[in-house]
């Protein structure tokens, strides 16, 4: 009978920027301010239309996400507008409801008065909450018509340094919101391990910046100080201009 030899302990070290996810964990949860607290889960765009009509912000973002045939889950979490306690309670209650990525969308330069403060507070609350859990990610999508307002808005949210927060922004196209964040997640959230957000390109349904090349000076002037990514031509190919989180 062969002798059994005892091996010394084996140490395995992995060093991934993104963990290997279980099947179905590429889901997205859209956080929406509303009049009541609700939670909805969808596995196809056909089920979304029962609650949200085409042309509404929720439907169009779900449609963008399900544009990838591999997208498994789209959830809508609604909290009471302007109520930080409601937002915190909702995200705490449904944090482990299935989605790996949280998505928040707001056309920031159309806001005024208390709405500016409400959105900035929501952004800070969401980002810091996800950061404290240290196991999921949040994407903020800030389309705009006035690029000069972006830097001050993001700076005021106090999310700098959060490694679980990724911020994207691009201008409206002829006044139309293309829901950049939802399109990005349809591609990136369903990607295999190792895909870099910097080189997510050719996003279906998203128009690159209206410049042949988005140069270094453009990035440094508007996006680099606050780690905001946009979608533009780089070396003739439309792609994200950055792949960094708020931590840099």
């Amino acid at each position: 009978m062969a002798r059994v030899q005892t091996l010394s302990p084996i140490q395995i070290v992995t060093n991934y920027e993104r963990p290997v996810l279980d099947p179905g964990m590429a889901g997205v949860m859209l956080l929406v301010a509303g009049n009541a607290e609700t939670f909805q889960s969808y596995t196809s765009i056909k089920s979304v239309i029962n609650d949200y009509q085409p042309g509404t912000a929720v439907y169009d973002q779900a449609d963008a996400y399900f544009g990838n045939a591999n997208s498994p889950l789209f959830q809508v979490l609604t909290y009471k507008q302007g109520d930080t306690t409601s937002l915190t309670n909702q995200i705490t209650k449904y944090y482990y409801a299935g989605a790996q990525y949280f998505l928040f969308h707001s056309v920031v330069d159309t806001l005024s008065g208390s709405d500016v403060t409400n959105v900035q507070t929501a952004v800070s609350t969401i980002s810091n909450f996800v950061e404290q859990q240290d196991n999921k990610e949040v994407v903020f999508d800030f389309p705009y018509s006035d690029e000069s307002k972006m830097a001050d808005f993001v700076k005021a949210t106090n999310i700098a340094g959060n490694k679980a927060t990724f911020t994207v922004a691009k201008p409206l196209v002829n006044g139309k919101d293309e829901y950049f964040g939802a399109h990005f997640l349809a591609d990136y959230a369903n990607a295999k391990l190792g895909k870099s957000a910097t080189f997510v390109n050719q996003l279906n349904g998203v128009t690159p910046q209206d410049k042949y090349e988005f140069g270094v000076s453009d990035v440094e002037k508007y996006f680099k100080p606050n780690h905001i990514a946009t979608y533009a031509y780089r070396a003739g190919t439309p792609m994200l201009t950055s792949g960094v989180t708020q931590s840099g």
Side-chain angles (χ1 to χ4, degrees):
M1 184 173 180
R3 188 178 63 170
V4 177
Q5 275 190 314
T6 302
L7 298 177
S8 60
I10 299 174
Q11 183 178 11
I12 300 175
V13 178
T14 57
N15 188 19
Y16 299 124
E17 291 186 2
R18 292 178 60 216
V20 177
L21 303 179
D22 294 329
M25 285 298 291
V28 171
M29 184 183 294
L30 179 67
L31 305 173
V32 180
N35 297 321
E37 296 180 350
T38 61
F39 175 74
Q40 300 153 304
S41 289
Y42 305 100
T43 55
S44 71
I45 192 62
K46 293 180 181 179
S47 57
V48 177
I49 201 170
N50 293 327
D51 299 315
Y52 300 97
Q53 293 299 305
T56 61
V58 172
Y59 178 91
D60 287 349
Q61 289 177 94
D63 192 31
Y65 172 72
F66 284 121
N68 185 324
N70 295 320
S71 295
L73 177 67
F74 187 86
Q75 299 176 319
V76 182
L77 182 69
T78 306
Y79 63 93
K80 294 180 181 178
Q81 187 169 10
D83 188 337
T84 305
T85 300
S86 174
L87 172 57
T88 302
N89 288 343
Q90 281 290 85
I91 197 171
T92 300
K93 184 176 181 179
Y94 294 105
Y95 189 80
Y96 290 104
Q100 175 66 25
Y101 298 89
F102 297 94
L103 175 62
F104 184 89
H105 169 274
S106 179
V107 186
V108 298
D109 62 0
T110 63
L111 303 173
S112 61
S114 61
D115 288 339
V116 177
T117 303
N118 287 341
V119 172
Q120 288 175 333
T121 301
V123 168
S124 177
T125 300
I126 296 165
S127 177
N128 291 328
F129 185 91
V130 174
E131 186 72 12
Q132 289 173 1
Q133 314 315 308
D134 197 29
N135 56 8
K136 298 194 177 189
E137 296 78 40
V138 58
V139 174
F140 292 115
D141 178 16
F142 298 138
Y144 58 85
S145 55
D146 185 352
E147 190 173 42
S148 66
K149 295 182 179 180
M150 285 301 305
D152 288 341
F153 176 87
V154 174
K155 185 177 181 180
T157 60
N158 297 313
I159 59 175
N162 285 357
K163 62 181 175 60
T165 298
F166 189 60
T167 305
V168 298
K170 71 178 296 293
L172 303 174
V173 179
N174 297 320
K176 181 182 178 181
D177 186 347
E178 295 184 325
Y179 301 109
F180 177 26
H183 283 283
F184 161 69
L185 281 170
D187 187 303
Y188 184 69
N190 293 288
K192 293 181 180 179
L193 182 69
K195 184 166 185 175
S196 170
T198 306
F199 299 107
V200 173
N201 53 42
Q202 304 292 340
L203 292 179
N204 184 34
V206 184
T207 305
Q209 291 272 26
D210 190 20
K211 301 176 183 178
Y212 181 69
E213 289 289 337
F214 200 77
V216 174
S217 61
D218 298 299
V219 175
E220 290 181 345
K221 183 177 180 181
Y222 295 110
F223 298 99
K224 187 175 179 180
N226 292 284
H227 299 140
I228 307 172
T230 192
Y231 187 62
Y233 286 104
R234 300 184 69 184
T237 301
M239 65 175 64
L240 267 74
T241 58
S242 172
V244 300
T245 65
Q246 285 295 304
S247 67

